[in-house]
Amino acid sequence: MSRQWIVHAAGPGLTLQDQGRPGYLPVGLSRGGAIDQLALFEGAALLRQDVSMPAIEMAGMGGTFEATADVRIALTGAPMQATVNDQRLEWHASHHLPRGSLLKIGAVKAGNYGYLHTGGGLDVPLQLGARSTHLGAGIGAPLTAGDQIAIGEDQGPEFAGARLRIEERFHGGEVRMVPSLQTHFFAEDERKRFEATTFQRDMRGNRMGVRFVPDGEAFRSDAGLSVLSEVIIPGDVQISGDGTPFVLLAECQTTGGYPRIGSVIPSDIPRIAQAQPGCAMHFRFITLEEAVTIEQNEAIRRQALASTCEAMRRNPHDIPDLLAYQLISGVTAGDNPERTKS
Amino acid sequence: MTTDNPEPIIRTAGYDGFLISFGETLSEPANRAAIAYRAAVECANWPGVVETTTSLVSAYLRFEATRFSHDEMRGRLEALLTQSDWYQASWPEGRKFWRVPAVYGTDLAPQLDEAAAMAGLSGKEAVDSLSQMRVRVQTIGFAPGQPYLGSLSPEWNIPRQTALTDRVPVGALTLAIRQFVLFSVSAPTGWRHVGQTALKLFQPDMDDPFMFRPGDEVVFESVSAEHLARCDDRYGGARFELIR
């Protein structure tokens, strides 16, 4: 039987996501891809595979999955309830999953978007150079119960049972932004007030963007209503007609007419995307030079994530059928001669 | 003419991009300058450039800012700006001229008469005017493959509606402020629905899923509803030739 996932139950927001499809701005198609790009790097580090492989993004709620072969998985992004055959699975970690076992992923415990990564990735066809679903453009569609997803050939089937210590990004906090093409539409006082304001993440939010509500007065630009539509970049903080900020994310429009006060740097977009409704958020301007340095350091950190993975130590009392578990899933990674043949 | 054109302005866009603006209001020279300048950037093939695009009057460039400096990239953009009078630039090559069948008015496009009245025309005069005008794709945006076309003749400088139309169908030809927007998706809009085409502007399963590119020219020829119903090929009955 071919290696695949069978989706037995699916929450409403399950989509295949990767690093997205750059290069289609001139024809009106935004990059898309995983809302929390950092999670893709974490999944790749935990499975020691390439970051370009697609994962299953789960908005708010997971699903029930069965693999038709032994697989490795990693769970990243917003932590969710997860069990395999009713045994609890650690999040921000990689695991061996024996063929036929039922992986159940429930609701988020914090944050919004969790990710299920598979050793070997998912063997779905490229569409316009990527495998990610773009809901706004109608490329692909959410996963539903009964779907079957082919699993790619796993180049490193031994390695799993690792965990990553991650920097918390699921409860709001402070994000940094750079001045951008329309920041000059906002008076300096208005920009200062923006930085001093506490915002609450609104109920309204999806893969296109997220609304924030200020604890004080609405914001206004000096540009008036006659501004020409201009290029939008994910991370842009647009001040909508009601004077509240809307931070644009992976599936944003490619152009827009609302003035934008600044642009959240890519390193901090996961914090925006993962803030649950009600979370408090602050915005702070940094210079372009500071942003470049931050992004350079973050790129280096992401490349080195694999070296920071730690082996998980398990308490044998937590494993009900210890013998079977070790035989099938090989948590000792790499020293089981029977596993090297496949 | 040249003296009326503003100095192009280079601004940063996000932490890893530049926006080169050729005006603050839409004009044909600014639109052409943006499209021609972006084509020249693509042609130059500078190291580190990730993607480029145009809006109505600006060109945008995104680059690998962790590996290439802003000063270096800005220097290249400035040098390219001085190489030519971009407001006088010719259109890039490879543009297409499209003839697109459209039904004006009727229950397929219920706001023609309303728009005509605002332009001071009868229904028939409006159809004659709109169906003979050769318009240009000024930019593509909002939704995949969705073009903004213009400029329409001055009488069509009518405002958007204050209330939104609940939903126009895919292929709807809508009008405001001397522009057409041709819808690639079904969406609510403040633009008036004056014509209906059979175009599917974004077909993700095709080799080339997008019909139009900025700079392409289009005439929306008036046809009957019966004719439109037969326009069921991949181009919705539209035909094109290369502009030479």
Side-chain angles (χ1 to χ4, degrees), chain A residues 22-29 31 127-128 137 139 178 180-181 184 228 230-231 233 253-255 263 266 288 292 295-296, chain B residues 11-15 19 24 26 38 51-53 55 58 62 65-66 70 140-145 202 204-205 209-210:
Chain A
Y24 292 97
L25 293 180
V27 281
L29 177 61
R31 212 183 313 164
Q127 224 176 344
L128 301 177
I139 302 173
V178 286
S180 195
L181 49 109
H184 61 283
L228 283 184
E230 202 42 276
V231 172
I233 305 148
Q253 300 161 211
T254 53
T255 60
S263 195
L288 203 55
V292 169
E295 292 298 327
Q296 283 169 336
Chain B
R11 294 189 179 93
T12 57
Y15 106 99
L19 189 82
E24 290 187 356
L26 176 58
R38 181 230 167 198
E51 61 183 336
T52 66
T53 189
S55 58
S58 306
R62 183 161 72 89
T66 53
H70 280 81
I140 295 177
F142 184 73
F202 178 51
D205 296 331
F210 304 96

Side-chain angles (χ1 to χ4, degrees), chain B residues 172-205:
Chain B
L173 184 64
T174 67
L175 185 159
I177 51 172
R178 295 182 67 184
Q179 280 179 310
F180 282 132
V181 175
L182 185 55
F183 276 77
S184 71
V185 293
S186 176
T189 183
W191 297 54
R192 285 184 175 79
H193 186 188
V194 297
Q196 184 61 42
T197 72
L199 299 190
K200 295 181 202 73
L201 296 161
F202 178 51
Q203 300 181 66
D205 296 331

Side-chain angles (χ1 to χ4, degrees), chain A residues 55-84:
Chain A
I56 297 176
E57 181 176 278
M58 303 174 284
M61 180 67 79
T64 304
F65 309 88
E66 178 189 342
T68 63
D70 291 359
V71 292
R72 300 182 302 145
I73 61 160
L75 301 167
T76 69
M80 302 169 111
Q81 305 283 354
T83 60
V84 60

Side-chain angles (χ1 to χ4, degrees), chain A residues 160-183:
Chain A
R163 73 157 64 93
L164 257 181
R165 289 190 198 288
I166 63 144
E167 200 182 323
E168 200 285 320
R169 60 175 184 277
F170 307 109
H171 296 91
E174 182 185 86
V175 294
R176 297 158 292 188
M177 56 181 182
V178 286
S180 195
L181 49 109
Q182 293 173 332
T183 301

Side-chain angles (χ1 to χ4, degrees), chain A residues 97-119:
Chain A
L97 226 65
R99 177 168 61 108
S101 51
L102 273 191
L103 170 64
K104 290 186 183 172
I105 302 178
V108 282
K109 295 192 271 191
N112 297 311
Y113 295 95
Y115 293 83
L116 166 61
H117 310 261
T118 311

